[in-house]
Amino acid sequence: MLPPVVAGIIVALLALMLVQGLVTNPRFEWNVVWKYLFNENVLNGIGWTLILTVASMIIATILAVVLAVMRSSTNVVLRGVSWFWIWFFRGTPVYTQLVFWGLFSVLIPRLSLGIPFTSVEFWSVDSQTVMTATVAAILGLALNESAYLAEIVRAGLEAVDPGQGEAAQALGMRRGLIMRRIVLPQAMRIIVPPVGNETIGMLKTTSLVLAVPFTLDLQFATNAIANRIYKPIPLLLVACIWYLVITTILMIVQSRLEKYFGKGFEQRAIAAVEVDPHFPGKTSGDLKNEVDKVNQTNWVGLNA
Amino acid sequence: MSTQNTSHNTVPAVEVKDVHKAFGALHVLKGINLKVMPGTVTAILGPSGSGKSTLLRLINQLETLSGGEIDVQGEMVGYRHVQRGGQDRLQELTEKEIAAQRAKLGMVFQRFNLFPHMTALQNVMEAPVHVAGISKAEAKARAEKELARVGLSDRAEHYPAELSGGQQQRVAIARALAMDPDIMLFDEPTSALDPELVGEVLGVMRDLAAAGMTMIVVTHEMGFAREVADQVVFMDGGVVVESGTPEIIAHPTEQRFKDFLAHVL
């Protein structure tokens, strides 16, 4: 084995060589990068990319909580619909989904609310007025994302020790209160890291909205300039720099959140696995395999 | 108040009448009868799987009955009688009514079940503030009093992960007491503790018994049962095999109880 100091020096040298190569390579045209870094269209693109990311993540999170609760419902219809939703939106490419959302008003010219298979109609509207490119892009991204988030939320809720709910019940707390005060805050600790992952993933997935087509996001804006001035590489660098800046900010937010929801838990313990002897014949309190669940959550996040 | 007192003296704190419980095909309780008078301590003994914990959980409605009836302070738990079509039927209570019934009972679990994201003080304050609707200042004063009672005033700002098992269980007792229950249920409160930590928890329970709290304790601590209990119940295979004063530990009559005592003593 190399001593760490030697290994460190070697890695540092390699990194320096890489940086030198990037900075001095004339084909990267850093002067062009600098010229367009704060271009008005680029800055607008950043704004739109952020809007798409935030809006779709908020909608997806709300849907995901609903789907996760439906998934653990005793009602077969609710469970089935939730399962189908997750199966469908995880099982088809997001690019294809976005194409369909873009074609929505062509495929379904009128939206109406009524009783299926009858002529009873309470309300209807022209699809084109509702389904603008922005709405199509946000919905397309959100619905796809909700399927992934639903699994993360479900695994997070299930990882909370059932003894917690029982202790809360024994204190006279009711279901809604238990969910809000006891279960969700503990589930958040497990949910936040993969959701942070998903948000960073979403930031870059927004570049697929050209499938709708939605043409104002960062990737499209830089690409448009590149096509105009025949310099694709520097404009790709511009996009990369901004994606990295935003990712850095998101990572800081994520670590703050993790710290906040990690209160009272030891840093190293991913799940609350305590040293506790197994008592057979118990109807409650048996330790579920929490580590597995946590891992599962993280896998779901990484597979996105 | 005086009428309440007289009724308390005649009405059992908890009465269990021919209670059955089955989990699927597994028949855990097979007709349990038990009467616990106010201000007394009942120790429930028995081997693992004898249904002791299930009985405790039924009293607190963490499980639903398969048959029989449980009354707490003379009021049937979980159901009410209604007349429908001239017939007497049982109607399930609402979640709100069940929560109100549970408020009379405090419960302490084998694995403490403290809320890990809250400090000891916040654990004890949680239910008084969010269930009883007491002001935060008042709840804090009450919580500090209860923590002092279990000897943990200096640990109020610690999270459960920073406390020993014995300390966690004492916080759990304080948390239950903060709701001012009439009856305390203990489900093997010392079974998950290291031997050297058992004493401090039993000490708190002794003080509580001496203060006149009605207690039902599922335990393997024979010494505690012998010294503190007014009534000892031995369960095995889902039935009460033998019950009586703590004397029965020294002089068991049933063979199964003798065998059990030979194992644990």
Side-chain angles (χ1 to χ4, degrees), chain A residues 126-173:
Chain A
D126 202 2
S127 293
Q128 251 173 333
T129 58
V130 197
M131 199 54 74
T132 62
T134 313
V135 173
I138 290 173
L139 269 186
L141 293 170
L143 265 56
N144 177 261
E145 185 59 30
S146 70
Y148 291 96
L149 289 184
E151 292 293 272
I152 292 170
V153 172
R154 182 171 68 105
L157 293 179
E158 282 178 9
V160 176
D161 181 354
Q164 292 287 308
E166 291 187 346
Q169 277 187 335
L171 288 167
M173 294 173 83

Coordinates of all heavy atoms in Angstrom, one line a residue, chain A residues 126-173:
Chain A
D126 N -61.9 23.4 -23.2 CA -61.0 23.1 -24.4 C -59.6 22.8 -23.9 O -59.0 23.6 -23.1 CB -61.0 24.4 -25.3 CG -60.6 24.0 -26.7 OD1 -60.4 22.8 -26.9 OD2 -60.5 25.0 -27.5
S127 N -59.1 21.7 -24.3 CA -57.8 21.2 -23.8 C -56.7 22.3 -24.0 O -55.8 22.5 -23.2 CB -57.3 19.9 -24.4 OG -58.2 18.9 -24.0
Q128 N -56.8 22.9 -25.2 CA -55.7 23.8 -25.6 C -55.5 25.0 -24.6 O -54.4 25.5 -24.4 CB -55.9 24.4 -27.0 CG -54.9 23.8 -28.0 CD -55.3 24.2 -29.4 OE1 -56.4 24.4 -29.7 NE2 -54.2 24.2 -30.2
T129 N -56.6 25.4 -24.0 CA -56.5 26.6 -23.1 C -55.9 26.2 -21.8 O -55.3 27.0 -21.1 CB -57.9 27.2 -22.8 OG1 -58.7 26.1 -22.3 CG2 -58.6 27.7 -24.1
V130 N -56.0 24.9 -21.4 CA -55.4 24.5 -20.1 C -54.0 24.0 -20.3 O -53.1 24.3 -19.6 CB -56.3 23.3 -19.5 CG1 -56.0 23.2 -18.0 CG2 -57.7 23.6 -19.7
M131 N -53.8 23.1 -21.3 CA -52.6 22.4 -21.5 C -51.6 23.2 -22.3 O -51.3 22.8 -23.4 CB -52.9 21.0 -22.1 CG -51.8 20.0 -21.9 SD -51.3 19.8 -20.2 CE -52.7 18.9 -19.6
T132 N -51.1 24.3 -21.7 CA -50.0 25.0 -22.4 C -48.7 24.2 -22.3 O -48.7 23.2 -21.5 CB -49.8 26.4 -21.7 OG1 -49.4 26.1 -20.4 CG2 -51.1 27.2 -21.8
A133 N -47.7 24.6 -23.0 CA -46.4 23.9 -23.0 C -45.9 23.9 -21.5 O -45.3 22.8 -21.1 CB -45.4 24.6 -23.9
T134 N -46.0 25.0 -20.8 CA -45.5 25.0 -19.4 C -46.2 24.0 -18.6 O -45.6 23.2 -17.8 CB -45.7 26.4 -18.8 OG1 -45.3 27.4 -19.8 CG2 -45.0 26.6 -17.5
V135 N -47.6 24.0 -18.6 CA -48.3 23.0 -17.8 C -48.0 21.6 -18.2 O -47.8 20.7 -17.4 CB -49.9 23.3 -18.0 CG1 -50.7 22.2 -17.3 CG2 -50.2 24.7 -17.5
A136 N -47.9 21.4 -19.5 CA -47.6 20.0 -20.0 C -46.2 19.6 -19.5 O -46.1 18.4 -19.0 CB -47.6 20.0 -21.5
A137 N -45.2 20.5 -19.5 CA -43.9 20.1 -19.0 C -43.9 19.8 -17.5 O -43.4 18.8 -17.1 CB -42.9 21.3 -19.3
I138 N -44.6 20.7 -16.8 CA -44.6 20.5 -15.3 C -45.3 19.2 -14.9 O -44.9 18.4 -14.1 CB -45.2 21.7 -14.6 CG1 -44.2 22.9 -14.7 CG2 -45.5 21.4 -13.1 CD1 -44.8 24.2 -14.2
L139 N -46.5 19.0 -15.6 CA -47.3 17.8 -15.2 C -46.5 16.6 -15.6 O -46.5 15.6 -14.9 CB -48.6 17.9 -16.0 CG -49.8 18.5 -15.2 CD1 -51.1 18.3 -16.1 CD2 -50.0 17.9 -13.8
G140 N -45.9 16.6 -16.8 CA -45.2 15.4 -17.3 C -44.1 15.0 -16.3 O -43.9 13.9 -16.0
L141 N -43.3 16.0 -15.9 CA -42.2 15.8 -15.0 C -42.8 15.3 -13.6 O -42.3 14.4 -13.0 CB -41.4 17.0 -14.8 CG -40.6 17.5 -16.0 CD1 -39.9 18.9 -15.8 CD2 -39.5 16.5 -16.4
A142 N -43.8 16.0 -13.1 CA -44.3 15.7 -11.8 C -44.9 14.3 -11.7 O -44.7 13.6 -10.7 CB -45.4 16.8 -11.4
L143 N -45.7 14.0 -12.7 CA -46.4 12.7 -12.6 C -45.4 11.5 -12.6 O -45.5 10.5 -11.9 CB -47.4 12.5 -13.7 CG -48.9 12.9 -13.3 CD1 -48.9 14.3 -12.7 CD2 -49.8 12.7 -14.4
N144 N -44.4 11.7 -13.5 CA -43.3 10.7 -13.6 C -42.6 10.6 -12.2 O -42.4 9.5 -11.7 CB -42.3 11.0 -14.7 CG -41.2 10.1 -14.7 OD1 -40.1 10.3 -14.2 ND2 -41.4 8.9 -15.3
E145 N -42.3 11.8 -11.7 CA -41.5 11.8 -10.4 C -42.3 11.3 -9.3 O -41.8 10.6 -8.3 CB -41.1 13.2 -10.2 CG -40.2 13.4 -9.0 CD -38.9 12.6 -9.1 OE1 -38.4 12.4 -10.2 OE2 -38.4 12.2 -8.0
S146 N -43.6 11.5 -9.3 CA -44.5 11.1 -8.1 C -44.4 9.6 -7.9 O -44.4 9.1 -6.8 CB -45.9 11.5 -8.4 OG -46.5 10.7 -9.4
A147 N -44.2 8.8 -9.0 CA -44.1 7.4 -8.9 C -42.9 7.0 -8.1 O -42.9 6.1 -7.2 CB -44.1 6.7 -10.2
Y148 N -41.8 7.6 -8.3 CA -40.5 7.3 -7.6 C -40.6 7.8 -6.2 O -40.3 7.1 -5.2 CB -39.3 8.0 -8.3 CG -39.0 7.4 -9.6 CD1 -39.4 8.0 -10.8 CD2 -38.2 6.3 -9.7 CE1 -39.1 7.4 -12.0 CE2 -37.9 5.7 -10.9 CZ -38.4 6.3 -12.1 OH -38.1 5.7 -13.3
L149 N -41.1 9.0 -6.0 CA -41.2 9.6 -4.6 C -42.2 8.8 -3.8 O -42.0 8.6 -2.6 CB -41.7 11.0 -4.7 CG -40.7 12.0 -5.2 CD1 -41.2 13.5 -5.1 CD2 -39.3 11.9 -4.4
A150 N -43.2 8.2 -4.4 CA -44.2 7.4 -3.6 C -43.5 6.3 -2.9 O -43.8 6.0 -1.7 CB -45.3 6.9 -4.5
E151 N -42.7 5.6 -3.6 CA -42.0 4.5 -3.0 C -41.0 4.9 -1.9 O -40.9 4.2 -0.9 CB -41.1 3.7 -4.1 CG -42.0 3.1 -5.2 CD -42.8 1.9 -4.6 OE1 -42.2 0.8 -4.5 OE2 -43.9 2.1 -4.1
I152 N -40.4 6.1 -2.1 CA -39.5 6.6 -1.1 C -40.3 6.9 0.2 O -39.9 6.6 1.3 CB -38.8 7.8 -1.6 CG1 -37.8 7.4 -2.7 CG2 -38.1 8.6 -0.5 CD1 -37.2 8.6 -3.5
V153 N -41.4 7.6 0.0 CA -42.3 8.0 1.1 C -42.8 6.8 1.9 O -42.7 6.7 3.1 CB -43.4 8.9 0.7 CG1 -44.4 9.1 1.8 CG2 -42.9 10.2 0.2
R154 N -43.3 5.8 1.1 CA -43.8 4.6 1.7 C -42.7 3.9 2.5 O -43.0 3.5 3.7 CB -44.3 3.6 0.6 CG -44.9 2.4 1.1 CD -45.6 1.6 0.0 NE -44.6 1.1 -0.9 CZ -44.3 -0.2 -1.0 NH1 -44.8 -1.1 -0.2 NH2 -43.4 -0.6 -1.9
A155 N -41.6 3.7 1.9 CA -40.5 3.0 2.7 C -40.1 3.8 3.9 O -39.9 3.2 5.0 CB -39.3 2.9 1.8
G156 N -40.2 5.1 3.8 CA -39.9 6.0 5.0 C -40.9 5.8 6.1 O -40.5 5.6 7.3
L157 N -42.2 5.8 5.7 CA -43.2 5.6 6.7 C -43.1 4.2 7.4 O -43.3 4.1 8.6 CB -44.6 5.8 6.1 CG -45.0 7.2 5.6 CD1 -46.3 7.2 4.9 CD2 -44.9 8.2 6.7
E158 N -42.8 3.2 6.5 CA -42.8 1.9 7.1 C -41.6 1.6 8.0 O -41.6 0.7 8.8 CB -42.8 0.8 5.9 CG -44.2 0.6 5.3 CD -44.2 -0.3 4.2 OE1 -43.1 -1.0 3.9 OE2 -45.2 -0.4 3.5
A159 N -40.6 2.4 7.8 CA -39.3 2.2 8.6 C -39.5 2.7 10.0 O -38.7 2.4 10.9 CB -38.2 2.9 7.9
V160 N -40.6 3.5 10.3 CA -40.8 4.0 11.6 C -41.3 2.8 12.5 O -42.3 2.2 12.1 CB -41.7 5.2 11.7 CG1 -42.0 5.6 13.1 CG2 -41.2 6.3 10.9
D161 N -40.7 2.6 13.6 CA -41.0 1.5 14.5 C -42.5 1.6 14.9 O -43.0 2.6 15.3 CB -40.2 1.7 15.8 CG -40.5 0.6 16.8 OD1 -41.4 -0.2 16.6 OD2 -39.8 0.5 17.8
P162 N -43.3 0.5 14.6 CA -44.7 0.5 15.0 C -45.0 0.8 16.5 O -46.0 1.3 16.8 CB -45.2 -0.9 14.6 CG -44.0 -1.7 14.3 CD -42.9 -0.8 14.0
G163 N -44.0 0.5 17.3 CA -44.1 0.9 18.7 C -44.3 2.3 19.0 O -44.9 2.7 20.0
Q164 N -43.8 3.2 18.0 CA -44.0 4.6 18.2 C -45.5 5.0 18.1 O -46.0 5.8 18.9 CB -43.2 5.3 17.0 CG -41.7 5.2 17.2 CD -41.2 6.1 18.3 OE1 -41.5 7.3 18.4 NE2 -40.5 5.5 19.2
G165 N -46.2 4.4 17.1 CA -47.6 4.7 17.0 C -48.4 4.2 18.2 O -49.3 4.8 18.6
E166 N -48.0 3.0 18.7 CA -48.7 2.5 19.8 C -48.5 3.3 21.1 O -49.4 3.6 21.8 CB -48.2 1.0 20.1 CG -48.6 0.1 19.0 CD -48.2 -1.3 19.4 OE1 -47.4 -1.6 20.3 OE2 -48.7 -2.2 18.7
A167 N -47.2 3.8 21.3 CA -47.0 4.6 22.5 C -47.8 5.9 22.4 O -48.4 6.3 23.4 CB -45.5 4.9 22.6
A168 N -47.9 6.4 21.1 CA -48.7 7.7 20.9 C -50.2 7.4 21.2 O -50.9 8.2 21.8 CB -48.5 8.2 19.5
Q169 N -50.7 6.3 20.7 CA -52.1 5.9 20.9 C -52.4 5.8 22.4 O -53.4 6.2 22.8 CB -52.4 4.5 20.2 CG -52.7 4.6 18.8 CD -53.1 3.2 18.3 OE1 -52.7 2.2 18.8 NE2 -53.8 3.2 17.2
A170 N -51.4 5.1 23.1 CA -51.6 4.9 24.5 C -51.7 6.2 25.3 O -52.3 6.3 26.3 CB -50.5 4.0 25.1
L171 N -51.1 7.2 24.7 CA -51.2 8.6 25.3 C -52.5 9.3 24.9 O -52.6 10.5 25.3 CB -50.0 9.4 24.9 CG -48.6 9.0 25.6 CD1 -47.5 9.6 24.9 CD2 -48.6 9.3 27.1
G172 N -53.3 8.7 24.1 CA -54.6 9.3 23.7 C -54.5 10.1 22.4 O -55.4 10.8 22.1
M173 N -53.4 9.9 21.7 CA -53.3 10.7 20.4 C -54.0 10.0 19.3 O -54.2 8.7 19.3 CB -51.8 10.8 20.0 CG -51.0 11.6 21.0 SD -49.2 11.6 20.6 CE -49.1 12.8 19.3

